[in-house]
Every structure is written in structure tokens, then in C-alpha cells.
Amino acid sequence: MTADPNTNLTYDERYVAELERAVERIWEIAQRFGLDPYPTNFELVPATIMYEFGSYGLPGRFSHWSRGKAYYRMKTEYDYGLSKIYELVVNTNPSYAFLMEQNDLLQNKVVVAHVLGHTDFFKHNAYFKHTSGNMIDKVSVNADRIRKYEFDHGQAAVERFLDAVLAIEEHIDPNFRIKPESATPQQDNEPKKHADSPYDDLWSLAERAARKRDEDIQAWMRTRRRRFPAQPQKDLLLFLAQYAPNLEEWQRDILMIVREEMQYFVPQMQTKVANEGWASYWHARTMRELDLSDGEFAAFAQMHSGVLAPQRMRVNPYHLGYHILQDIERRWDNPTEEERVKLGREPGKGREKLFAVRETESDVSLLRNYLTKELVEELDLYLYRKEEDEWVIVEKNWEKVRDGLVASMTNFGYPYITVVDADFNGNTELVLHHQHEGQDLDLSYAQKTLEYVQYIWSRPVHLETILEEQAVRLSYNGEKHSRVALDKGKSKGE
Amino acid sequence: MHRTSTISQHDWSLHRKGQTDQERHKQKIREAIKKNLADIVSEESIILSDGKKIVKVPIRSLEEYRFRFDPGRQQHAGQGNGDSQVGDILATDPRPGRGKRGQAGEEPGVDYYEAEVTLDELAAMIFEDLGLPFLEEKKMAEMETETVRFTDVRKVGPLANLDKKRTILENLKRNAAKGDPSFHDLKNDDLRFKVWEPTVRYQSNAVVIAMMDVSGSMGEFEKYIARSFYFWMVRFLRTKYNNVKIVFISHHTEAKEVTEEEFFTHGESGGTQVSSAYELALRLIKERYNPDDWNIYPFHFSDGDNLPWDNERCVGLVRKLMEICNIFGYGEIREGHYRSQSTLMSAFAKIEDEKFIAVTISDKAEVYPALRRFFATRDAVPTLP
């Protein structure tokens, strides 16, 4: 962001002037629609820079070979015309949006309209409430620190540690601002007094059962050594930074850097469908307001349908989000007789409802609340899986499809893993627990990742999970892997 | 200009972060390939790549591992055109070659990252510290020939050296930037010229005499090993000589010169008489490859099950061959349990000449060490520039 603006620009100045006029016009239209985006700086960049920002997520982020790999892949796909990034927005205040120089004026107009949808979403959606407004500065400070560590401790050592940390970077707690419940049983769980009724004896049965359970738990707690952490910890990166026994300061710092940057990305991972749907909804509305020639409108329609094209092997978030939002608008504009009478829904409230949705929903809640039977069928959504060496459609029942989609977005698509014990065997061994919700882990990947965790923890590490309906504990002690079956009756880690 | 939005442009021409990290990734690929050369040398997709310049090399260790769900057992969501049905097949995975289907998932650590490298890059790594032992000055080698190598492309030059392809590309690029990607309106600025450097190459010739036992006892595996070996051998010699020829001799009790195709695919039945091949090799050298002009590299693959009374004769012929050849190689391919020495190998054990190299290969991964032994640089032996 610091390059000299006086350098020779080869770019057509007329193009920039025209784009400036368009931005002004689009901004007015957006405001008329009721959008309220962050102030947004647009920057025209060459394709190589666009793909670099795309692969790093943010400009100025620290170096790592995996980013170089992503960069190479994205750029190659672009060079061969297989895929194209139109835009990249950075959620800061003011926001930064990068437009590709190589795109023509009309394409960049669409992108500007789309971007204002995003920056409005960033400003108003609840999940973005706590993201840092100056992330670009932060990542570049972080990158400087990591560079310094490379200088002090050697590039190889830093890279090796980063390899390990990045392997578990998704395992932070997105709800870190919600205060944890206290470890002692809550007093307000006490059964409430009930009015007299002929069924009083049922309540006393329930109370007796509850009392018995409490006593059992107390007895169990007494016989048990004290476990650390007392509650399972979802934030692996934080836990390792705080408690890994043999780390140096710079290593703890790297853990915290990766965690901080991940916290910035998590809301975007949680709202991909909603955010892209919102931006697509508004770019479509905005472009209709511009005075486009027939040719321009055809070009726009082509670009729009390209971006929103449905795909057989994955669900296109632009497409899904756009159609869910349109459907919400329709249903709240023209409620059915039943909705009017039973839910008291007034007609003509479509827009208003949309603005409420953009404030409160994440992808998971958007799909749970608004992906209806009719939509699943209309969009022809399905679930498929691998059978032998063929990928086959296995489910079209709308509830199962919706639940499958929701499951794939839960914990932004990653297995839910917690730290349950940091002193297993009384030997400072770390136990991770995979909250199994019907899907097995990829075993060889899990073992390789466990090696990375072991590298950070420096003592033996274990992962409890379920493989083919058998509870197992995978272990790695720094030299070899082992695996034991766990008796389901016993409690974890015993 | 609206107060709440701006458009800016900066000069990014010195920005290299993506490229720098991409270089690091490439470097890691190269390191990983080097660690796995033994497996890669006999990698089927490369040996059978038939002149493809870019090959896919499977390597471990560059995958970005994570805790993830098993993609093969997971349900995924997708979207149809409106008429999808339960049971529709969306895609079919390519079946892994050579009938080992179904086993892959069982073994831990079979996840490969496929790196794309050019065959030349790969060859450079494999041959890095290999040399040509016992190189002899040949008459023809003393003739320096001046050749030109096109090394650079510039915007000015004699029209005779116009690089037409690049010129057209430049024109297209310039027109495309203006929105009309077609070839027209050629300007001086589009022109590209090849620039050359004169280089001196030593005229030198080498011939590989590839001999292989095709008797009944030689199976698929043996042929594949021989094929991998010759693939790299020829490739290596080509980096050292201007002109590398290869003749194929297959034999059972009789030897004959065959085409490459026949050499690697045809099998015969019956017994083995190795001396027949060596005799034919000697005759071919006499007829076509005068040792004064040619560097000769005979190499023979067999399973060693030779007719016992023929072994002594073979030793004598090998001695004769070594007088006129740079080196003589014998590779015995013994798969599985038959790892004890064959009678032929025992007979060869008598030969005490450092030009004679015998190796036993019982696994694909042993091709690379065999190559290294064969072309190991010995001290005090000069190599060609």
C-alpha cells in the first residue's frame, strides 16, 4: 500500500476516470437501496498481484511455501483460462477492494457493485462485529516479526515450526468472546417449584433421578485425579501457546500470530453463502439501474451467470446464497394465506426482511432457517458420495440434503477437536478429542497432523476418535504411531 | 470523486512475494524428489511417458496435512440441472494401474502429492554426480564442431532470425490488451529475434548395446526393470554425447537384433544361452561401431539361468568385449526368493576388472543404485566438457 503514486503508470487514464465516475454512480445507487458500506478504497492491480492477495488472503501476510503453492496453482489456472478472480475485498475500515487491471470496464463496474454488497455485509453482519478494523497493518507487523525470527533462529527452524502450526490453524474457538461457563455445576439448574397437579409424583421421580445422577458424578469426581484442562478446550492454538512445555518465546508468538489471523478469517468462512449471496443480489439490482447499452447488458448477464453457475460436484455459494435471498424476499413480499393468518406476516416486507437476515445470519443459520423444501427441489440440490470408484448421488430428500449441507459447514467444515487432557498418564502427554458426529477422520492425514502436534507439544500426543464405529486412541510419541481400541463404557482418556 | 471511495493504482513491478514463496515451494519439491529418487527412477508413469516433456512425479511430504474428514467416505453436496436422480453417476475415479486396486487405502502414508517437473529437470537431479567412467579419447572426438545455440530473444536483429512464433504472440498480446485478440497491425515493437551464441561441441558418439534375456524365465517384472534402466541410461548418455545410438539384442538360445518395441514386449520360451548375445554384440561392433570412433556401452540383463556349460564361454567373451568397450554391465534380476547367486554370476565373479560391473536387482527401487554404480565417477578419470 506504500508504493509511490508518482511512478509511471502505463494504464489508460481514461479508463480510470470512467471507472471513477462509475464508482460514484454505483455508490449513489447502493445508498438509495439502503446499503451502508464501509468507506471503500478500490485499487487496480495486475493479475499477478491479484492472485498473490488471493492466495495469501490478505496483502502483506507472512511468507510460507504453502502460500506460494496456492499462488502458483491459482495463477496457472488463470493463465490457462480455467478460473478467474474478479475481486478481492479486505474487511477493514475503510475497506480495500482490489480490481484486476486486465478486466474491462463493464466487468469492473459489476465488481464494484458486488464489492459494496460485501463491505455493507462486513459492517452490519453480527459475525463481523469484533473483527479488527486494521488487519492489513496487523498482518504486516506479524510478517515483520516472523521475518525477524527467521533472521534470529534460521529460516529452516521457523519454517518447520510454521509447517506444524499451519496444519492445525483452523482449530481456534470462533466463539472466544463468549465467556466460558464456570467449571462448577450451575446452581440455577435446580428444579423449579411446580404447581400442584395430579402428576406431581412424576416430578419427584425426575428429581430423584437427577439427585442420583448428581451423586454419581460427585463420587466419580472424587475418585478421579484432577484433570487439566478442567473443561475441554476448543482453542488448540491458544492452549499450545500457553501450555506446551518446551516452546521458546518466538514459537509461542508464532502460534498467537497464526491464531490472530485465523480469527480474522473465521467470520468470512462462517458466512460465505450469506455474504456472496448478499453481494450477488445487490450487484444484480445495481446493474439494472445503470444505463447500460444492450451489448453491455448482455455482457453483464454472461458474467453474472458465469459467476453464479451451479456446479455438479460442489455447491456454488454465490448461486445458493443468491437464490435463498431472492426466495426470502419473495416469501415476505407475498406471504401465503397461512403465513398471513398464523404468523401475522404482512405483505411487502421482503426488503426489510432481507436486511434483517444480513444482520443476524451465518451460513449455518441461513440454511437451517431458509432453505426450504421447494428451494432444495428447485435448485436440484443433492448429496453424493463415493461408491467403489464412482461418485454417485445418494440423497435427494430435502431435509437430509439440507442437514448434509449444514453439517458440511459446521465448524466451517473442519472436524471439531478439543484438548481434553494435558497430563495423560501423569506424564505431560497431550490428549485431543475428536467430537465424532457421524463422519470418520481421514486416518493417514490425522496421523501426519498428529506428528505436527507432537512437534509443538514435544511430548507424546494422542487423538481420540471413532473409526468405523470403534472408539480408538491414535498416539504418536515422536518416533512411532500406535493405535488402541477404546472401550466405549470407559470414560475418555482413562 | 465521492468522499467515501477512491480508486488508486500503484507500481507493483517490484513486488515478488508470491514468486518468492513459489520458488521456495519448488525448492521443497526438488528436495523431496531427491529424497525419493530411488522410487521415482522406476516410476511407471515416467518410464512409459514416451517423450512427454513434463512428467508427474509422486512425492510424499508436500501435502498440507490437516485434521480432515475422509473424503472417500464423506457425503458431499452438489447441484444438478433439474433432473438429477438418486443413483446418477457424477464422476468415475481413474483406476490405479496394474491391478493393485483396492489396496491403496489400507496402507498408511500412500498419499502422494503430484509434482510436475520437466523430464530434463528430473534427469539433471538423477545424473547430478554421475559421470562417464573409463572414457577414452576417440578419433572423432578430437574434431571440434562449431554449433550455434539460440540463447536469447531480443527486439532487434537481422530479419533472417525473426522468431515468428514469439512475434505473433507479441502482436496478439498487444491487440488483446486493446480488446481485439487477433493477428493484425504488425508493428516493429512486436518483432522478436532469436539471438545465438556459438558453442563448441565435441563430436562424439556412443552406442548402447542393450542385451536382454527373453527366455521363458524372464517375466513382466524383469522386462520392466530392464526398461527403466535403459530409459535412464540412454537419457544420461545423451547429455554427454552428441550422438547416442542404441541397439537391442534379445536372446534365448539364439540372439538376434530387434526393434525397441520387440525388445520390451516380446517373450520367448525355452532355455538360455547367454554367449549367443555376446557373440552378436561383438559382430555388430565389428561391422558398425568401430571402437576407434565409438564409445561402446554394452549392458546385459538376465535372470542368470544360463546353460551351465555356457558360463565359461561367456566369461571369455566378456573379456573380449571389455577390450573394446568403455565398460561392461551385467544386471541380474532376481525377484522374490530367488536371491541366491546364479551360476552365471558366480562365473563372472572371477573377472577382476574394474570395467566390469555386475549388479543384482530384486526390487524396483534398486534400479537407481544400480545406475549409480554403473556410472559412478572414478577418480582420475577425465570427463568430457
Side-chain angles (χ1 to χ4, degrees):
Chain A
M1 311 288 95
T2 53
D4 180 4
N6 299 320
T7 42
N8 273 341
L9 295 175
T10 51
Y11 217 77
D12 192 346
E13 296 200 354
R14 262 206 341 259
Y15 179 101
V16 177
E18 242 184 282
L19 190 59
E20 272 177 1
R21 273 196 300 280
V23 168
E24 204 165 332
R25 175 101 182 87
I26 290 168
W27 191 281
E28 279 166 23
I29 296 169
Q31 281 189 319
R32 225 174 40 233
F33 280 136
L35 293 180
D36 173 31
Y38 282 129
T40 307
N41 297 322
F42 291 94
E43 170 140 2
L44 283 159
V45 296
T48 48
I49 297 302
M50 194 79 174
Y51 285 89
E52 183 186 304
F53 293 169
S55 50
Y56 287 71
L58 280 169
R61 233 177 146 200
F62 63 82
S63 289
H64 187 255
W65 59 266
S66 61
R67 315 268 190 245
K69 178 177 157 187
Y71 167 75
Y72 176 67
R73 198 191 54 235
M74 289 170 90
K75 197 174 161 303
T76 309
E77 283 180 0
Y78 168 73
D79 290 344
Y80 285 111
L82 295 173
S83 79
K84 190 170 186 178
I85 305 185
Y86 281 108
E87 125 278 341
L88 204 128
V89 204
V90 180
N91 168 28
T92 48
N93 183 13
S95 294
Y96 287 89
F98 299 94
L99 309 177
M100 197 136 88
E101 283 176 359
Q102 282 83 349
N103 287 344
D104 65 34
L105 193 61
L106 177 90
Q107 288 173 327
N108 272 337
K109 282 182 191 173
V110 182
V111 172
V112 168
H114 188 85
V115 161
L116 294 185
H118 281 315
T119 51
D120 171 80
F121 196 91
F122 288 150
K123 189 169 170 184
H124 294 281
N125 183 274
Y127 288 81
F128 290 88
K129 193 116 194 163
H130 297 287
T131 45
S132 165
N134 56 349
M135 205 55 198
I136 292 191
D137 301 339
K138 281 197 181 173
V139 296
S140 102
V141 170
N142 289 345
D144 283 344
R145 284 223 297 283
I146 291 182
R147 238 190 324 274
K148 182 178 175 302
Y149 297 145
E150 283 178 352
F151 189 76
D152 293 346
H153 307 282
Q155 206 189 343
V158 172
E159 183 181 273
R160 183 155 185 217
F161 194 72
L162 262 178
D163 284 355
V165 177
L166 291 178
I168 51 168
E169 66 175 335
E170 296 87 9
H171 300 279
I172 65 163
D173 188 356
N175 302 319
F176 59 97
R177 280 191 180 76
I178 298 174
K179 290 254 158 53
E181 289 176 34
S182 62
T184 52
Q186 300 269 313
Q187 295 306 304
D188 55 36
N189 281 347
E190 272 181 41
K192 301 187 176 58
K193 293 249 160 148
H194 305 287
D196 288 339
S197 85
Y199 303 109
D200 271 358
D201 52 341
L202 281 179
W203 293 115
S204 69
L205 265 180
E207 273 168 29
R208 224 178 303 148
R211 232 183 353 259
K212 171 87 170 67
R213 198 171 56 235
D214 282 351
E215 279 164 15
D216 283 353
I217 291 173
Q218 293 300 327
W220 177 70
M221 295 275 277
R222 275 194 298 277
T223 59
R224 233 178 114 70
R225 71 192 160 78
R226 281 174 84 182
R227 179 182 283 235
F228 180 76
Q231 300 285 317
Q233 297 295 309
K234 160 89 168 89
D235 199 329
L236 237 64
L237 293 185
L238 179 64
F239 190 87
L240 291 172
Q242 287 177 329
Y243 302 111
N246 292 315
L247 292 186
E248 293 179 37
E249 272 317 302
W250 67 269
Q251 292 174 310
R252 295 186 202 278
D253 190 35
I254 284 182
L255 277 158
M256 293 307 278
I257 286 174
V258 171
R259 176 173 176 268
E260 179 186 37
E261 298 189 3
M262 205 58 200
Q263 280 172 346
Y264 166 83
F265 288 110
V266 158
Q268 300 185 23
M269 294 156 80
Q270 288 172 311
T271 59
K272 185 85 182 148
V273 174
N275 200 346
E276 294 300 355
W278 182 251
S280 302
Y281 177 91
W282 287 112
H283 82 228
R285 300 298 178 284
T286 306
M287 292 311 282
R288 285 179 202 159
E289 300 289 315
L290 290 178
D291 305 319
L292 300 180
S293 68
D294 287 355
E296 283 178 314
F297 200 83
F300 158 66
Q302 196 185 6
M303 177 176 168
H304 177 79
S305 62
V307 172
L308 268 69
Q311 287 161 325
R312 273 151 44 98
M313 304 294 278
R314 56 182 282 261
V315 170
N316 179 348
Y318 293 77
H319 184 82
L320 183 61
Y322 182 77
H323 284 277
I324 291 180
L325 292 179
Q326 274 203 329
D327 189 57
I328 294 173
E329 184 179 33
R330 184 189 56 75
R331 285 165 54 210
W332 264 260
D333 270 344
N334 309 299
T336 60
E337 189 61 38
E338 190 187 6
E339 284 165 340
R340 273 182 230 197
V341 177
K342 279 196 183 163
L343 304 172
R345 203 177 283 171
E346 303 278 322
K349 299 276 187 194
R351 272 292 151 81
E352 200 179 304
K353 176 66 183 171
L354 282 186
F355 276 91
V357 164
R358 79 97 146 77
E359 257 181 66
T360 53
E361 306 292 350
S362 69
D363 287 350
V364 166
S365 66
L366 182 76
L367 263 56
R368 276 203 187 125
N369 294 332
Y370 302 106
L371 184 58
T372 60
K373 178 168 188 282
E374 291 74 25
L375 257 183
V376 171
E377 284 166 5
E378 185 195 319
L379 299 178
D380 198 16
L381 298 173
Y382 50 70
L383 297 178
Y384 67 92
R385 64 178 302 146
K386 194 175 179 183
E387 292 184 349
E388 309 257 321
D389 40 18
E390 286 169 340
W391 296 88
V392 186
I393 297 178
V394 290
E395 191 63 71
K396 291 214 59 175
N397 173 298
W398 79 276
E399 281 174 300
K400 297 248 173 71
V401 171
R402 180 199 60 195
D403 293 348
L405 261 170
V406 167
S408 73
M409 291 170 178
T410 303
N411 197 37
F412 24 98
Y414 287 93
Y416 196 98
I417 285 169
T418 54
V419 180
V420 290
D421 195 349
D423 193 22
F424 184 60
N425 290 337
N427 194 26
T428 334
E429 296 178 17
L430 185 74
V431 183
L432 305 180
H433 180 76
H434 166 221
Q435 203 81 42
H436 192 279
E437 284 164 55
Q439 299 187 60
D440 284 7
L441 293 182
D442 183 327
L443 177 61
S444 74
Y445 262 59
Q447 287 179 326
K448 294 278 187 195
T449 313
L450 212 50
E451 291 175 15
Y452 285 127
V453 179
Q454 195 279 331
Y455 182 68
I456 300 173
W457 185 251
S458 80
R459 306 271 315 136
V461 293
H462 311 269
L463 172 68
E464 301 170 343
T465 182
I466 296 175
L467 290 173
E468 297 181 345
E469 293 173 15
Q470 168 66 54
V472 294
R473 183 166 57 231
L474 308 172
S475 305
Y476 183 69
N477 64 6
E479 280 164 16
K480 64 180 187 21
H481 287 279
S482 58
R483 168 178 173 175
V484 291
L486 297 175
D487 184 356
K488 275 185 193 161
K490 277 189 185 171
S491 72
K492 298 174 290 249
E494 288 282 90
Chain B
M1 197 68 232
H2 206 280
R3 269 178 297 120
T4 43
S5 64
T6 59
I7 296 184
S8 53
Q9 250 185 317
H10 294 120
D11 184 357
W12 292 97
S13 54
L14 293 176
H15 192 86
R16 290 283 181 279
K17 196 194 204 61
Q19 283 96 320
T20 314
D21 284 349
Q22 182 191 334
E23 266 318 305
R24 176 72 191 118
H25 178 231
K26 273 196 189 160
Q27 194 186 338
K28 282 185 76 80
I29 292 177
R30 280 192 288 269
E31 285 165 15
I33 291 176
K34 276 192 183 174
K35 271 188 218 151
N36 290 302
L37 277 181
D39 289 330
I40 292 167
V41 158
S42 51
E43 173 62 33
E44 196 172 10
S45 62
I46 297 170
I47 304 304
L48 306 179
S49 65
D50 278 340
K52 271 189 212 145
K53 287 211 175 122
I54 290 178
V55 289
K56 288 191 170 177
V57 180
I59 43 177
R60 292 157 210 250
S61 86
L62 276 190
E63 197 69 54
E64 291 160 65
Y65 294 104
R66 302 186 129 40
F67 291 122
R68 66 168 197 187
F69 297 115
D70 190 337
R73 300 162 59 96
Q74 202 184 353
Q75 288 197 343
H76 308 261
Q79 198 173 358
N81 298 325
D83 54 359
S84 68
Q85 301 287 330
V86 169
D88 285 0
I89 294 165
L90 300 172
T92 308
D93 278 356
R95 297 183 177 207
R98 277 180 307 132
K100 272 201 164 180
R101 199 152 55 85
Q103 287 182 10
E106 311 286 324
E107 302 165 48
V110 287
D111 287 281
Y112 285 110
Y113 171 82
E114 282 200 335
E116 287 189 351
V117 289
T118 64
L119 209 46
D120 291 341
E121 272 180 282
L122 195 58
M125 283 186 252
I126 292 171
F127 305 143
E128 200 172 47
D129 48 357
L130 299 187
L132 292 174
F134 313 113
L135 192 81
E136 285 161 37
E137 301 262 312
K138 302 287 173 188
K139 249 193 278 167
M140 283 164 97
E142 285 154 25
M143 288 166 32
E144 288 179 6
T145 51
E146 209 167 275
T147 56
V148 292
R149 269 176 56 212
F150 288 99
T151 50
D152 202 0
V153 178
R154 291 184 198 158
K155 283 191 167 185
V156 287
L159 215 51
N161 290 325
L162 183 70
D163 185 333
K164 296 191 194 77
K165 189 174 168 188
R166 283 202 174 85
T167 301
I168 291 171
L169 275 175
E170 287 303 321
N171 178 272
L172 283 174
K173 262 199 255 175
R174 195 168 51 77
N175 289 333
K178 287 197 248 150
D180 179 13
S182 67
F183 180 68
H184 65 276
D185 186 23
L186 191 68
K187 291 201 168 135
N188 272 343
D189 206 33
D190 298 332
L191 300 182
R192 293 293 180 275
F193 298 90
K194 291 188 229 183
V195 180
W196 75 90
E197 251 173 26
T199 57
V200 175
R201 283 202 77 167
Y202 291 89
Q203 181 66 43
S204 53
N205 300 312
V207 58
V208 174
I209 300 176
M211 293 173 279
M212 184 159 58
D213 187 348
V214 289
S215 63
S217 51
M218 291 285 283
E220 281 291 308
F221 171 79
E222 285 81 358
K223 288 205 181 106
Y224 183 74
I225 292 293
R227 188 170 196 155
S228 325
F229 189 90
Y230 287 129
F231 179 87
W232 292 112
M233 180 170 174
V234 170
R235 205 153 267 283
F236 174 63
L237 292 174
R238 288 213 169 114
T239 64
K240 302 286 180 186
Y241 295 102
N242 266 1
N243 177 21
V244 179
K245 284 220 156 59
I246 176 163
V247 292
F248 296 97
I249 296 175
S250 63
H251 74 91
H252 36 102
T253 51
E254 282 168 43
K256 59 179 172 196
E257 193 184 350
V258 294
T259 65
E260 181 172 355
E261 164 84 20
E262 289 164 338
F263 187 75
F264 289 116
T265 50
H266 287 197
E268 307 266 345
S269 51
T272 308
Q273 198 173 328
V274 172
S275 60
S276 64
Y278 298 167
E279 273 165 0
L280 180 59
L282 280 167
R283 205 171 73 229
L284 287 178
I285 291 169
K286 204 171 159 200
E287 286 169 7
R288 285 188 237 158
Y289 304 105
N290 184 347
D292 289 344
D293 300 333
W294 292 83
N295 290 287
I296 304 170
Y297 294 88
F299 201 100
H300 176 222
F301 275 109
S302 168
D303 57 5
D305 289 335
N306 197 22
L307 293 172
W309 50 261
D310 190 46
N311 287 344
E312 274 315 304
R313 197 175 151 71
C314 288
V315 173
L317 288 167
V318 165
R319 291 211 158 109
K320 253 192 191 166
L321 275 165
M322 280 192 298
E323 283 168 23
I324 50 173
C325 296
N326 295 54
I327 195 165
F328 183 93
Y330 171 66
E332 191 160 294
I333 307 169
R334 297 188 72 80
E335 197 185 7
H337 304 297
Y338 305 98
R339 292 199 68 165
S340 57
Q341 263 191 356
S342 69
T343 52
L344 183 59
M345 195 61 127
S346 326
F348 280 153
K350 280 185 262 177
I351 303 177
E352 282 178 14
D353 186 328
E354 47 176 1
K355 276 183 170 185
F356 177 81
I357 295 177
V359 289
T360 306
I361 298 177
S362 56
D363 185 90
K364 266 168 59 166
E366 287 171 17
V367 173
Y368 180 57
L371 263 177
R372 295 190 60 86
R373 266 199 68 197
F374 198 56
F375 289 113
T377 39
R378 280 91 171 159
D379 290 340
V381 175
T383 49
L384 275 179

